[in-house]
Amino acid sequence: MATTCWGLPEVICTFPAIDTTTMREMRRTIDTGFRGLVREWSDVIDATTAPLQSFLNMLERSFVGAPWVVVLAVLLVVVWAASRNWKTVLGAALAMLAIGWVGLWADTMVTLAMVTVCTIFAVALGLPVGIVTARSDRVQSVVNPVLDVMQTLPSFVYLIPVVVIFGIGKVPGMIAVVIYAVPPMIRLTNLGIRLVDPEVTEAADAFGSSRTQKLVNVQLPLALPTIMTGVNQTIMMSLAMVVVASMVGVGGLGRNVLQAINNQFFTIGFLNGFALVAIAIIFDRTSQAFGKRLQKHREAGHG
Amino acid sequence: MDEMTSTMAQTAAAPDPDDEAERAGIEIRDLYKIFGPDAKRHIAAVKAGMSKDDLNRKHRHVLGLQNINLTMPGGKITVIMGLSGSGKSTLIRHINGLIEPTVGEVLYDGADVCRMSPAELRRFRRLKTAMVFQRFALLPHRTVLENVRYGLDIQGIAHAKSEPMAKHWIERVGLKGFARHYPAQLSGGMQQRVGLARALANDADILLMDEAFSALDPLIRMDMQAILLELQEELHKTIVFITHDLDEALRLGDKIAILRDGALEQVGTGQDIVLGPANDYVASFVRDVNRGRVIRAATIARARKPGEVLPEMTVQGYLVLEKVARRMTNAGATSAHVVGRSGKTLGVIDLPELLGAIVTPVTADSDS
């Protein structure tokens, strides 16, 4: 080795890594320590996640258990209420009927239930964090790198501790999805509030608004288009994560895709994949149309 | 909050005619503003005469305002005039505490705005001040009515009470029928009317107008100035008006303060400034002014000659020369009798002198 080293000393040539014994010791200590800790607290963890688990189960049962006509009707009403656009409603109806026709209705319902819960959680978590981040540069300097890690860390990596802590099932799946889906919500809420016209916030101050009044009357409404983009992104990312989440025991379309990968079931893979795409498009068009509808007042034209 | 709400409603319903006399003025004393992370440290140097450039070059701090002493009389329009970067917007923001001075006092009604706690400051802003902004700063997602109501919403006044008040002011600024429109549906001039109505609806004593008409095109700007003067005639608010336009300053200002590089160059009435510019800077500003719109009849009226019969035509001393000239030509008179507000004879004005005063700088001896 020394011969290929341009005559440099060993320490510069080969990277001075920790030797394997130390590494093995370190690994063992951390892993067993972590497992021990989890085992010790397992009762508490189970108790805290139990309500969530049963909520997820209940929601899934109600989605799967309800007659498909009812679910479809509710879905279409929601799409109509949000988008007020017949084309979107028609597209959603056709997509859902096609999904049902190829026999993926029940799996789609499972996925839908999961994505619904994950989106609600991600928005409920991301909005307040985004608001706090927008209010303080110091908070932002802490939150931003955390978000960078959340978005770039391969989801399989953080699935390991999640599975160690929560085991296999819907709860760890949901946590994995929320970790992945919440950053755009936080980022875009933060961005949206920071981009609000400073003259308008100054006007709010000049009229003696309190911080809350300013937030509710000015900042949130004006940041709404950006925030709605965040919600939209969160939904899309939740959907993208359901395949990964299926590895820790979440059922639905994701699990079918996973099985298809393992068994090289070409047709099943594509059918399930397209079902996911169909849901994604329905959600995307609906949430975007909703966001646009909230901005009706921006339409110019002197009256 | 309830107590406050009821007093607000009463004042709005029946404006007190004696308000005028009671309006407190605003007094700015020894105010300095330095922008930068360590502003306080450089105050002594600036007071000792360090220039804006030196402060910037040596210490990387920006001198915003220096040695400002200014009294803004209650119930009058004080115009702060200066070019961009002169510190006028910074100065107006000290009055409602949007900017804190490095040192100095802003006194209103016996209280120093700079020493108010956040809660006191909020209360002061809600009840005592209202502001109109250069780029309107309306809430795009709210209708005209909801925008005008904004200050009242912040005060916690119920919609049942605030809505008629808001509607009243929407009509007063000439936007009747537009209450349900969104700002984006209105032209710039109309949007600023909304801004004005929003400020007036607050029924605050102090009206701060930060380049309020600068973004409007000339004809609309003249309209807005007329609306403001008309409203002021009856409201007698303490108005602080920022502008970079001397004509606007002269038209609106009972008192004009000229600001340059954060320091006051001259303070006085429009006529004072046009007839006696304090230095070359001010002189260069006023050189091209339409004097006929600034100088008042009383200023150039000559004493009655012994035995002279007073001309038949009478003009008020506070009228500007342009108006006097128009009246005299309409009446075919070559000279007129100038009277004060009480009807007392101030002197006589002749058409040739009047024209001379409009077109050429008035010399010191005719200026009395």
Side-chain angles (χ1 to χ4, degrees):
Chain A
M1 199 178 272
T3 50
T4 61
C5 222
W6 308 342
L8 290 170
E10 181 71 19
V11 79
I12 293 174
C13 181
T14 317
F15 205 98
I18 315 172
D19 63 282
T20 40
T21 336
T22 322
M23 190 65 204
R24 198 183 310 128
E25 270 311 301
M26 193 177 82
R27 228 171 51 201
R28 193 176 297 151
T29 319
I30 293 174
D31 284 8
T32 49
F34 181 59
R35 283 205 196 95
L37 205 67
V38 171
R39 210 168 297 136
E40 215 169 288
W41 289 89
S42 64
D43 291 347
V44 182
I45 294 167
D46 286 350
T48 43
T49 54
L52 189 60
Q53 180 81 47
S54 58
F55 172 70
L56 284 167
N57 287 336
M58 186 203 73
L59 199 81
E60 188 183 304
R61 266 201 306 278
S62 60
F63 267 65
V64 178
W68 68 269
V69 189
V70 175
V71 177
L72 184 63
V74 171
L75 185 92
L76 294 182
V77 166
V78 170
V79 171
W80 165 249
S83 70
R84 296 289 159 84
N85 183 341
W86 284 115
K87 275 189 198 162
T88 312
V89 175
L90 187 70
L94 289 178
M96 292 311 286
L97 290 174
I99 286 170
W101 189 65
V102 295
L104 290 173
W105 186 267
D107 289 328
T108 304
M109 287 305 111
V110 174
T111 298
L112 221 50
M114 189 72 189
V115 169
T116 308
V117 176
C118 289
T119 306
I120 291 169
F121 263 81
V123 171
L125 191 69
L127 193 67
V129 175
I131 290 168
V132 174
T133 312
R135 283 187 171 189
S136 150
D137 285 341
R138 199 178 298 169
V139 173
Q140 183 178 243
S141 68
V142 175
V143 169
N144 265 349
V146 173
L147 295 182
D148 292 338
V149 172
M150 283 163 81
Q151 284 188 300
T152 47
L153 195 71
S155 33
F156 300 109
V157 175
Y158 57 74
L159 273 179
I160 303 165
V162 168
V163 168
V164 173
I165 298 172
F166 300 103
I168 296 283
K170 290 195 187 72
V171 173
M174 199 197 91
I175 289 169
V177 173
V178 170
I179 288 176
Y180 187 68
V182 83
M185 188 64 207
I186 297 174
R187 275 191 212 278
L188 287 163
T189 304
N190 176 25
L191 182 73
I193 292 176
R194 281 175 186 268
L195 284 183
V196 169
D197 182 356
E199 203 175 28
V200 180
T201 47
E202 191 181 41
D205 283 333
F207 280 90
S209 304
S210 65
R211 273 164 74 102
T212 319
Q213 284 173 327
K214 189 163 71 170
L215 182 73
V216 174
N217 294 327
V218 179
Q219 290 174 312
L220 284 182
L222 295 194
L224 204 59
T226 320
I227 294 175
M228 280 310 294
T229 312
V231 173
N232 176 276
Q233 286 302 301
T234 294
I235 297 173
M236 295 300 110
M237 295 184 102
S238 309
L239 273 168
M241 268 301 276
V242 294
V243 177
V244 176
S246 71
M247 300 180 102
V248 292
V250 176
L253 298 171
R255 185 165 57 196
N256 295 350
V257 173
L258 193 66
Q259 281 169 356
I261 298 169
N262 292 337
N263 300 304
Q264 300 175 9
F265 291 157
F266 176 80
T267 318
I268 290 189
F270 265 82
L271 279 180
N272 283 278
F274 279 127
L276 275 172
V277 171
I279 302 176
I281 291 175
I282 295 172
F283 277 173
D284 178 66
R285 295 299 180 272
T286 308
S287 58
Q288 280 202 24
F290 182 64
K292 225 174 250 156
R293 229 158 45 75
L294 291 176
Q295 296 304 308
K296 258 203 134 105
H297 57 81
R298 288 197 192 270
E299 285 168 17
H302 297 175
Chain B
M1 197 52 104
D2 277 337
E3 195 186 323
M4 186 170 82
T5 312
S6 60
T7 32
M8 276 302 305
Q10 277 164 17
T11 26
D16 185 354
D18 295 330
D19 248 9
E20 185 183 356
E22 290 167 19
R23 295 252 193 245
I26 306 160
E27 182 133 359
I28 297 178
R29 283 198 200 143
D30 300 321
L31 186 132
Y32 287 79
K33 176 68 187 178
I34 297 173
F35 292 101
D38 201 7
K40 284 238 192 285
R41 210 162 56 107
H42 302 295
I43 275 295
V46 168
K47 278 188 174 171
M50 179 180 270
S51 76
K52 188 173 179 165
D53 286 343
D54 281 348
L55 183 72
N56 195 3
R57 207 173 41 242
K58 287 187 195 149
H59 302 294
R60 299 270 155 229
H61 277 56
V62 176
L63 181 54
L65 292 169
Q66 50 179 323
N67 193 21
I68 304 288
N69 281 286
L70 183 61
T71 307
M72 304 175 184
K76 301 279 184 212
I77 303 181
T78 304
V79 175
I80 300 169
M81 208 208 87
L83 301 180
S84 49
S86 61
K88 53 195 193 302
S89 288
T90 309
L91 182 54
I92 202 173
R93 278 165 178 70
H94 279 86
I95 296 169
N96 61 355
L98 287 173
I99 296 180
E100 273 180 45
T102 310
V103 290
E105 294 174 327
V106 177
L107 301 171
Y108 175 76
D109 217 1
D112 184 354
V113 178
C114 314
R115 281 176 210 279
M116 287 182 180
S117 70
E120 283 171 336
L121 193 58
R122 265 206 303 279
R123 203 179 143 72
F124 173 72
R125 286 171 181 167
R126 284 179 187 179
L127 301 178
K128 297 292 178 194
T129 71
M131 197 161 180
V132 184
F133 295 84
Q134 179 172 10
R135 289 184 304 116
F136 324 137
L138 301 175
L139 297 173
H141 63 291
R142 290 182 163 214
T143 61
V144 168
L145 180 71
E146 288 164 341
N147 264 292
V148 173
R149 213 178 55 199
Y150 183 73
L152 305 172
D153 285 354
I154 294 298
Q155 290 169 23
I157 295 173
H159 289 180
K161 267 186 190 168
S162 63
E163 209 136 298
M165 291 155 84
K167 280 192 174 139
H168 167 75
W169 288 111
I170 290 171
E171 279 181 35
R172 284 305 304 273
V173 299
L175 285 178
K176 195 176 179 182
F178 288 96
R180 305 265 161 228
H181 284 61
Y182 285 103
Q185 297 171 311
L186 304 179
S187 66
M190 289 161 99
Q191 288 190 38
Q192 194 57 302
R193 285 169 194 241
V194 179
L196 188 59
R198 172 173 71 176
L200 293 170
N202 232 19
D203 195 43
D205 292 346
I206 303 173
L207 187 57
L208 304 172
M209 306 188 71
D210 180 18
E211 299 230 28
F213 305 150
S214 300
L216 308 174
D217 53 56
L219 282 178
I220 304 207
R221 190 194 291 197
M222 298 279 280
D223 269 357
M224 292 298 290
Q225 290 165 354
I227 291 175
L228 182 67
L229 286 173
E230 187 192 313
L231 288 165
Q232 173 68 353
E233 198 118 305
E234 104 189 43
L235 299 173
H236 300 290
K237 289 186 182 292
T238 306
I239 299 180
V240 182
F241 194 101
I242 297 278
T243 183
H244 59 249
D245 176 4
L246 186 64
D247 286 325
E248 188 166 69
L250 292 169
R251 181 156 187 219
L252 297 176
D254 295 311
K255 184 173 185 176
I256 297 171
I258 295 183
L259 202 61
R260 181 200 189 187
D261 284 345
L264 286 174
E265 294 280 319
Q266 188 172 6
V267 179
T269 63
Q271 193 172 249
D272 289 345
I273 286 171
V274 171
L275 295 178
N279 52 37
D280 290 349
Y281 179 75
V282 179
S284 71
F285 252 116
V286 300
R287 192 171 299 133
D288 299 324
V289 160
N290 182 344
R291 289 159 187 275
R293 288 194 190 149
V294 180
I295 302 169
R296 297 174 191 281
T299 313
I300 63 156
R302 64 170 169 79
R304 181 179 167 189
K305 286 174 198 149
E308 184 187 1
V309 182
L310 281 173
E312 236 175 85
M313 184 173 183
T314 319
V315 291
Q316 277 81 31
Y318 63 83
L319 285 179
V320 294
L321 296 187
E322 200 179 62
K323 282 194 178 149
V324 175
R326 195 178 305 133
R327 287 186 192 186
M328 284 171 75
T329 32
N330 284 350
T334 50
S335 58
H337 169 201
V338 182
V339 295
R341 278 183 200 271
S342 53
K344 192 169 70 95
T345 298
L346 296 176
V348 176
I349 203 166
D350 299 313
L351 200 53
E353 269 102 71
L354 187 151
L355 290 176
I358 291 178
V359 293
T360 59
V362 184
T363 50
D365 51 64
S366 64
D367 172 13
S368 51

